[in-house]
Amino acid sequence: MIIVNSRHAAHDQPRHVERAARLSAALEALHAAPHASGLAFIEAQPADDASIRAVHADTLLDRVRWSATQAGFWIDHDTYTTAASHDAARCGAGAAIQAVEGIAGSTPQRSFALVRPPGHHATATRSMGFCLFNNVAIAAQHARARLGVGRVAIVDIDVHHGNGTQDIFYQQPDVLFCSIHAAPLYPGTGDDRETGSGPGSGATLNIPVPHGTGDAGAALAFTHLIEPALRRFQPELILVSAGFDGHHRDPLGLLTYSVAGYTAMIGRLCAIADECCGGRIALVLEGGYDLAALAACVVGATHALAGRHDIDDPLGPSGQREPDITPIITRITARHPLFATGTTP
Ligand SMILES: [Zn+2]
């Protein structure tokens, strides 16, 4: 099930990397894909105030709402709004909620919320990093508060650290936030010593990887960190902050993932969802700023959700030599509470 936020289009700055052409390119590729006829497309509905307030301060919501009175406004030096951004952001959050509703019932349908603006940098109190509302966090909180879901895992595969999602759930024991991201890179958070606090100690897993890390490094991190963490945490559903700016063509990213590599990551998360939580997995789009790479990764992701792994990667591998991330994996397994014998977050 693909939930499409059509209201995104008027939230646009054509010269900005986070522009309406991103989602248009992804949708065009998806509709042209051979399996398009088998995909169910649903229109996003706006999230209500209560859903947004469940993760964001009133001041943040009020500011985004106020921005609709302005023809154009900059929340910070890289986060713009237009008169239509409040509507677009509300429908983005609503799409993520619909995705989670699609997987929370007795007959889950793997879902993908195709949204912009993205969300994972928005903290409880601050819109930032192109993000107005934190779509994936709003969906996770909706699942817990309104759908009776106890334990939610959020896996963030965007090239940037999902500082906002981490911030929102940092003290929550029932939401596992797990991020693999390039470091050093915006926003500068996501050190592996950030592991949660108070009751949430151990429920944050950060995997900062060096520039140039690609498919092999990600696969290693999945095998030794992400999959064991999910098995130990035993979520009732898995949400994925699906950012595709780790692709080797991306102008902002510094990793060298391929379309095939991204598809494999999502395939592995689907397999873990099958194993741990009855196949309940939903993706929420985050970054991805090279239009061809974003479009191909979105198509690849829908293949993975459909259980197909025989994808044709139109852009190929980066061909670059990758750094060895084994020392990072060894360090995290040695000191992260999630991997200490006998402890459960
Ligand atoms: Zn990003």
Side-chain angles (χ1 to χ4, degrees):
M1 185 168 80
I2 315 288
I3 303 99
V4 180
N5 175 14
S6 300
R7 306 281 281 276
H8 81 97
H11 171 73
D12 193 24
Q13 279 275 358
R15 286 189 298 278
H16 195 287
V17 288
E18 205 297 284
R19 59 203 189 279
R22 295 178 59 233
L23 207 47
S24 310
L27 279 167
E28 197 175 310
L30 210 45
H31 285 296
H35 64 302
S37 59
L39 297 171
F41 290 89
I42 290 176
E43 182 59 41
Q45 301 300 317
D48 59 25
D49 277 2
S51 300
I52 297 168
R53 286 195 173 115
V55 305
H56 289 303
D58 288 354
T59 48
L60 183 151
L61 174 56
D62 291 346
R63 195 165 195 218
V64 175
R65 185 183 276 126
W66 169 84
S67 75
T69 67
Q70 307 295 305
F73 181 72
W74 289 84
I75 284 186
D76 62 23
H77 67 278
D78 57 17
T79 310
Y80 67 85
T81 60
T82 69
S85 298
H86 173 241
D87 270 354
R90 210 175 256 277
C91 286
I97 286 173
Q98 286 164 269
V100 93
E101 287 180 340
I103 59 168
S106 53
T107 52
Q109 279 186 285
R110 290 173 180 171
S111 301
F112 191 173
L114 268 184
V115 302
R116 53 176 296 280
H120 72 154
H121 293 307
T123 70
T125 57
R126 186 177 167 208
S127 301
M128 61 180 279
F130 317 162
C131 303
L132 300 180
F133 300 143
N134 193 316
N135 307 313
V136 79
I138 288 169
Q141 197 57 28
H142 180 85
R144 298 170 73 228
R146 299 203 200 170
L147 304 177
V149 174
R151 293 163 78 79
V152 178
I154 301 172
V155 181
D156 191 324
I157 56 173
D158 190 280
V159 76
H160 302 98
H161 178 239
N163 63 297
T165 313
Q166 171 171 302
D167 171 73
I168 288 161
F169 296 116
Y170 205 56
Q171 297 190 48
Q172 293 283 341
D174 296 330
V175 178
L176 174 68
F177 176 65
C178 178
S179 174
I180 178 167
H181 49 270
L185 189 63
Y186 180 90
T189 48
D191 189 276
D192 55 86
R193 285 166 295 192
E194 295 165 19
T195 59
S197 72
S201 288
T204 294
L205 171 63
N206 282 311
I207 310 167
V209 295
H211 299 178
T213 299
D215 298 340
L220 215 55
F222 267 69
T223 299
H224 295 287
L225 297 172
I226 295 171
E227 289 172 346
L230 290 168
R231 287 196 179 99
R232 178 159 278 213
F233 184 76
Q234 287 292 315
E236 291 164 45
L237 56 84
I238 296 173
L239 302 181
V240 183
S241 263
F244 298 114
D245 41 9
H247 189 274
H248 59 79
R249 282 177 53 129
D250 196 274
L252 299 192
L254 295 162
L255 302 182
T256 58
Y257 299 153
S258 66
V259 174
Y262 260 126
T263 305
M265 286 185 235
I266 293 164
R268 292 179 73 160
L269 292 171
C270 288
I272 288 281
D274 285 345
E275 180 188 321
C276 295
C277 49
R280 293 181 168 82
I281 183 166
L283 315 185
V284 180
L285 184 67
E286 300 284 359
Y289 305 100
D290 177 87
L291 298 188
L294 172 65
C297 286
V298 165
V299 172
T302 59
H303 275 289
L305 291 177
R308 293 177 51 180
H309 306 290
D310 54 334
I311 69 133
D312 188 20
D313 183 343
L315 304 174
S318 75
Q320 293 176 41
R321 189 184 161 96
E322 284 191 46
D324 177 16
I325 70 158
T326 308
I328 296 164
I329 290 172
T330 305
R331 184 178 78 216
I332 294 173
T333 24
R335 70 186 184 191
H336 195 288
L338 203 52
F339 301 103
T341 315
T343 57
T344 308

